[in-house]
Amino acid sequence: MIASYDADAVTAALPMDRCIDLMAEVQVRISRGEIRLPLRQFVSHGTEAQGLLVMPGSLGDGDVFGAKLLSLFPENSAQGRPAIQGSVLLFDPVTGAPMALIDAAKLTALRTAAASGVATRALAKSEAATLAILGYGVQAESHLVAMAKVRKLREVRVWGPKLERAQAFAAKHDVGVPIHAVRGA
């Protein structure tokens, strides 16, 4: 039986602070060569901009392995549909049987922001307290959460091409500090 994790299950199973700690461990293991991440492969479908993206990986011999499978259809955005959709499929290291199917959008949002959290924790000044977010999409939201986990924020500034969307983002989110939509840097 394949375990299935939708966006809500991913969020419940992987809180941001835990994800940041896991990403720190993963980055060390990657640098040691313990995790294998072969090159991504893109297969176009219809146009050069749309198609299938396959991102394989292995935690090492005897450990879980799998791939993130994504469809990229940039034109979807104009119809209010996600431009990127997909899943992560994990396989049992002993039998090769599929063991988990995970919502890739939520997992990617968490992982990407957690990696930024690791970098911020290691490289930013400890007294850094103002966060600037460029954009107001999924990555903006997950990065806001991650940065609030690794720094004591005093202020957040959100910028994007459409001020009203930046204002809506600021009004929607609460990390215990003022969030301001700004017109420019």
Side-chain angles (χ1 to χ4, degrees):
M1 180 106 190
I2 298 175
S4 182
Y5 298 87
D6 64 9
D8 292 336
V10 171
T11 301
L14 194 56
M16 184 58 78
D17 50 353
R18 178 68 179 127
C19 192
I20 291 169
D21 292 340
L22 285 171
M23 281 309 304
E25 293 173 29
V26 164
Q27 290 172 356
V28 168
R29 289 188 65 195
I30 290 170
S31 69
R32 290 182 182 152
E34 297 171 4
I35 294 177
R36 292 187 296 275
L37 298 171
L39 293 176
R40 302 170 177 195
Q41 294 183 344
F42 181 75
V43 179
S44 63
H45 176 77
T47 71
E48 289 186 25
Q50 67 184 34
L52 173 69
L53 180 62
V54 180
M55 303 164 66
S58 172
L59 291 180
D61 295 333
D63 287 324
V64 70
F65 63 97
K68 181 169 23 172
L69 307 168
L70 301 173
S71 67
L72 294 107
F73 280 69
E75 301 83 22
N76 279 357
S77 297
Q79 285 82 37
R81 293 188 300 257
I84 301 172
Q85 302 175 73
S87 297
V88 174
L89 181 59
L90 299 179
F91 296 90
D92 183 283
V94 176
T95 67
M99 57 186 267
L101 187 65
I102 305 165
D103 179 83
K106 187 59 171 182
L107 187 61
T108 298
L110 286 169
R111 188 220 57 87
T112 303
S116 296
V118 171
T120 300
R121 190 167 63 188
L123 301 172
K125 292 181 178 182
S126 60
E127 65 272 10
T130 300
L131 173 63
I133 298 177
L134 306 178
Y136 26 66
V138 172
Q139 285 298 326
E141 184 172 332
S142 60
H143 276 75
L144 173 62
V145 173
M147 296 305 109
K149 295 289 183 186
V150 298
R151 287 294 176 269
K152 184 170 175 49
L153 299 175
R154 286 193 302 267
E155 178 187 16
V156 177
R157 299 175 188 168
V158 181
W159 174 87
K162 296 181 179 176
L163 181 61
E164 62 277 1
R165 287 191 61 195
Q167 291 168 331
F169 179 93
K172 178 182 174 185
H173 295 89
D174 182 7
V175 289
V177 300
I179 302 177
H180 306 286
V182 295
R183 291 189 184 276

